């Protein structure tokens, strides 16, 4: 039987892929740990590892599909939330196998998706994956309530069922919008003040000490790495101690 990706789509592989294009930054970082020589292409936003030297194929939302096709990959790795369905379908129509990961709502779901991808396609279990599973198994009792903007102009915050929200919850931080009907609601600024802290990541919007805290005068600002908050891959090993240190009063 053919292997299937997270969305249940079959992926036709003729042995372990050796020419891979990644359209997802955190998956790029994970794939490099299997074998740095695997990757031949990645998006402009695939910033880790910092010395990654591959052909760039544009952004995640709008990759240059012709450039991907020209690389003749034997596998493209994508994500259901970060990449457009029409781009995935065009690659498949041109005979390129595409493995699409689902948008995870929890840390265990994210790590389980990575375990299945790496184990199914390359039969590997990286040490960082085992370590991340162990580190994030513990859940700290709730101790504070947070608003977590990811964009402004307009304001966009973490809502229900997000990976970043589960990261914070496992650190004892309750997302003030966790019960919202949308995953990324767009409240008015005056609706964002009912919390103890405001968590300000540096991506996708680059919040800084001069751009962010002034909108939340009664909340303690916590500046965090967006990579640690939203990426799932090897960075999760560093993320827990780094986020705990940043959140500490």
């Amino acid at each position: 039987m053919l292997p299937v990706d997270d969305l249940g789509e079959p992926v036709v592989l003729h042995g372990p892929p050796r020419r891979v294009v990644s359209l997802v930054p955190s998956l790029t970082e994970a794939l490099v740990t299997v074998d740095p020589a695997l990757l031949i292409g990645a998006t402009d936003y695939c910033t880790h590892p910092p010395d990654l030297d591959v052909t760039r194929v544009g952004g995640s939302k709008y990759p240059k599909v012709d450039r991907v096709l020209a690389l003749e990959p034997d596998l493209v790795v994508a994500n259901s939330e970060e990449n457009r369905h029409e781009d995935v379908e065009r690659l498949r129509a041109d005979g390129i196998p595409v493995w699409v990961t689902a948008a995870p709502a929890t840390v265990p779901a994210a790590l389980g998706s990575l375990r299945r991808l790496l184990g199914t396609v390359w039969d590997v279990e990286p040490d960082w994956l085992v370590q991340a599973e162990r580190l994030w198994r513990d859940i700290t009792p709730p101790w504070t309530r947070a608003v977590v903007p990811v964009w402004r102009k307009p304001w966009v915050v973490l809502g229900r069922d997000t990976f970043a929200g589960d990261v914070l919850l496992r650190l004892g931080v309750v997302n003030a919008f966790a019960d919202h009907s949308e995953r990324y609601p767009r409240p008015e600024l005056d609706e964002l003040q009912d919390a103890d802290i405001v968590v300000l990541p540096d991506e996708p919007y680059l919040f800084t000490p001069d751009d962010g805290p002034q909108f939340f005068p009664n909340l303690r600002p916590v500046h965090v790495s967006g990579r640690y908050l939203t990426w799932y891959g090897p960075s999760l090993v560093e993320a827990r101690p780094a986020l705990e240190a940043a959140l500490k009063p």
Side-chain angles (χ1 to χ4, degrees):
M1 293 181 64
L2 292 174
V4 296
D5 65 15
D6 285 359
L7 305 189
E9 291 292 332
V11 183
V12 180
L13 299 173
H14 304 285
R18 306 307 303 174
R19 295 178 57 80
V20 180
V21 172
S22 173
L23 301 181
V24 189
S26 59
L27 297 180
T28 298
E29 189 175 25
L31 293 169
V32 169
T33 68
V34 175
D35 180 355
L38 280 178
L39 278 172
I40 58 170
T43 74
D44 299 339
Y45 301 105
C46 295
T47 58
H48 285 75
D51 60 351
L52 184 66
D53 184 18
V54 297
T55 299
R56 300 295 176 163
V57 297
S60 299
K61 287 293 185 187
Y62 300 98
K64 294 178 171 60
V65 178
D66 288 340
R67 191 175 296 176
V68 176
L69 293 171
L71 291 172
E72 300 183 346
D74 50 15
L75 181 67
V76 172
V77 181
N79 178 264
S80 62
E81 185 172 72
E82 292 197 45
N83 306 116
R84 301 187 307 164
H85 178 71
E86 53 263 43
D87 292 330
V88 170
E89 287 306 302
R90 183 182 167 194
L91 289 167
R92 286 174 172 158
D94 278 277
I96 305 299
V98 184
W99 184 290
V100 181
T101 59
T106 66
V107 176
L111 292 172
S113 173
L114 284 168
R115 175 174 284 279
R116 205 167 71 79
L117 167 63
L118 301 179
T120 301
V121 177
W122 289 282
D123 192 24
V124 296
E125 181 190 64
D127 290 342
W128 63 260
L129 179 57
V130 177
Q131 190 176 355
E133 288 171 333
R134 177 180 56 79
L135 278 171
W136 287 96
R137 195 169 293 127
D138 294 337
I139 301 177
T140 302
W143 60 273
T144 194
R145 175 181 164 91
V147 168
V148 192
V150 294
W151 200 258
R152 80 174 187 87
K153 302 179 185 180
W155 289 99
V156 181
V157 300
L158 294 185
R160 63 169 179 85
D161 300 333
T162 65
F163 170 80
D166 190 58
V167 165
L168 291 171
L169 186 63
R170 288 169 185 273
L171 300 175
V173 179
V174 177
N175 175 13
F177 285 84
D179 295 327
H180 198 279
S181 60
E182 299 177 13
R183 296 183 69 227
Y184 296 99
R186 299 185 176 195
E188 296 298 323
L189 182 59
D190 60 5
E191 300 176 73
L192 303 181
Q193 308 302 319
D194 183 18
D196 304 310
I197 65 175
V198 55
V199 177
L200 298 166
D202 61 7
E203 64 174 51
Y205 185 89
L206 177 56
F207 288 105
T208 69
D210 298 321
D211 184 3
Q214 71 270 32
F215 299 103
F216 306 91
N218 298 317
L219 308 187
R220 178 171 66 90
V222 177
H223 295 274
V224 300
S225 162
R227 175 169 165 258
Y228 287 155
L229 185 63
T230 63
W231 288 33
Y232 57 101
S235 60
L236 279 173
V237 175
E238 307 165 5
R240 179 144 200 160
L243 290 172
E244 287 175 334
L247 290 163
K248 186 177 179 180

